[in-house]
Amino acid sequence: TDAELMTRLAAGDDLALNALMARWRDRVAAFLYRMTSHSDTAADLAQETFVKLYQARNRYRPDGKFSTYLFAIAANLGRNHARWKRRHPTVSLDDNNDRKPLLTEAVSPGQTPEEATTSAERLRAVHSAFQALPDDLRVTMSLFIYEGMSYAEIASIVGCSPKAAETRIYRARQFLKEKLKDIRA
């Protein structure tokens, strides 16, 4: 289990980190991608998440859920990165490179060109609306939808009460419903 791997890691078995990374890397990177909208940044932050996990290996308590602990580290790194980006704004010359995966996900083999275009446009609109969510709502929604976490788990990651997590999810749904009302069919 993850708790056993963390116990081994704390005891000095560095190979346990490899097993944890293999198990969680993709989910952490996907979560951070939803926070940052940049695959390179998400990959860097995911790597840094595991560095922080290694550094905190002796502080982990196996009575808690490992995923909550790991995603709390990732969420903190994502928030720190967002704060840094607000203070140091830049314009990327290859911003379009991160949009290509959206188009390949939207196209399925049985679609006509018109259907594929419509699917890609809808996916772009949903992605844009999701990224337009305020940071606290986007993180909460991401953990709820993509990671399937409970309100209590989300609350411990984002530092609020379970009721506040539930309220954030409600507010995010209302925001997305308003933003996407034109594309619903």
Side-chain angles (χ1 to χ4, degrees), residues 23-146:
R23 190 177 293 172
W24 289 97
R25 182 184 315 121
D26 293 341
R27 286 178 64 184
V28 169
F31 169 70
L32 289 164
Y33 176 75
R34 288 186 293 276
M35 285 185 76
T36 64
S37 296
H38 293 91
S39 58
D40 293 338
T41 303
D44 290 345
L45 290 174
Q47 191 70 27
E48 193 174 339
T49 298
F50 290 102
V51 169
K52 297 283 187 192
L53 180 70
Y54 181 79
Q55 291 170 342
R57 67 191 178 277
N58 294 319
R59 290 190 300 259
Y60 174 72
R61 283 179 260 128
D63 56 335
K65 202 167 177 193
F66 176 76
S67 60
T68 303
Y69 187 72
L70 181 64
F71 280 98
I73 294 170
N76 286 335
L77 288 171
R79 281 192 293 270
N80 290 344
H81 177 75
R83 273 193 296 273
W84 187 87
K85 289 289 283 182
R86 279 193 294 274
R87 287 186 302 233
H88 304 89
T90 60
V91 176
S92 175
L93 296 177
D94 35 41
D95 219 6
N96 291 334
N97 288 344
D98 274 334
R99 301 295 180 234
K100 289 178 184 172
L102 291 176
L103 294 176
T104 57
E105 289 176 12
V107 177
S108 64
Q111 289 182 322
T112 66
E114 295 88 22
E115 292 170 337
T117 302
T118 302
S119 292
E121 288 172 359
R122 282 186 174 167
L123 190 56
R124 241 184 258 111
V126 169
H127 180 74
S128 177
F130 194 81
Q131 291 305 315
L133 282 168
D135 289 342
D136 61 334
L137 300 183
R138 187 171 60 244
V139 169
T140 305
M141 240 353 222
S142 183
L143 291 169
F144 183 72
I145 292 174
Y146 298 107

